[in-house]
């Protein structure tokens, strides 16, 4: 993975891979497999609305993305406040049941 490639895509808003709704396969297959809230790891998650869905279902979510623009866009669009702290080498955004690295 080339981080500069993805940072440029986010800065140019070339994110055609982004869905505006929860992934239908997630809705179809995740609930039957997972019967109790747990911890979900979401690598390369961008500003996926799936993260908000997991939180709404009671899960604790840990997301990882290279783009700070993605994290800030997610926070703004989903209305989920995220506090920022650092734990080198990471900048960590944390809110109710959600942590982004």
């Amino acid at each position: 993975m080339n981080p500069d490639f993805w940072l440029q895509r986010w800065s140019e808003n070339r994110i055609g891979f982004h869905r505006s709704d929860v992934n239908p396969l997630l809705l179809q297959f995740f609930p039957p497999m997972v019967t109790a809230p747990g911890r979900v790891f979401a690598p390369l998650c961008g500003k996926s609305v799936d993260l908000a869905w997991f939180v709404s279902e009671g899960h604790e979510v840990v997301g990882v993305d290279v783009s700070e623009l993605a994290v800030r866009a997610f926070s703004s669009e989903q209305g989920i406040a995220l506090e920022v702290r650092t734990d080198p080498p990471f900048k960590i955004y944390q809110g109710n049941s959600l942590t982004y690295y």
Side-chain angles (χ1 to χ4, degrees):
M1 182 188 98
N2 180 346
D4 292 332
F5 170 82
W6 291 108
L7 291 170
Q8 183 173 351
R9 293 285 300 250
W10 279 100
S11 71
E12 296 170 353
N13 199 33
R14 290 189 309 134
I15 53 170
F17 49 84
H18 175 71
R19 297 182 60 96
S20 60
D21 57 345
V22 177
N23 187 310
L25 295 174
L26 176 63
L27 296 174
Q28 180 181 354
F29 293 109
F30 193 80
M33 293 185 333
V34 178
T35 58
R39 193 169 200 201
V40 176
F41 177 59
L44 307 173
C45 58
K47 63 175 188 169
S48 174
V49 296
D50 296 351
L51 304 176
W53 180 81
F54 281 122
V55 169
S56 74
E57 294 294 307
H59 300 284
E60 179 185 343
V61 180
V62 176
V64 176
D65 202 274
V66 67
S67 174
E68 189 172 353
L69 286 174
V71 177
R72 292 185 183 278
F74 172 84
S75 177
S76 174
E77 292 171 13
Q78 299 302 316
I80 298 176
L82 299 173
E83 294 182 15
V84 184
R85 65 183 173 86
T86 57
D87 186 5
F90 299 104
K91 186 179 270 189
I92 302 166
Y93 294 81
Q94 196 159 23
N96 187 27
S97 299
L98 174 64
T99 304
Y100 255 107
Y101 287 85

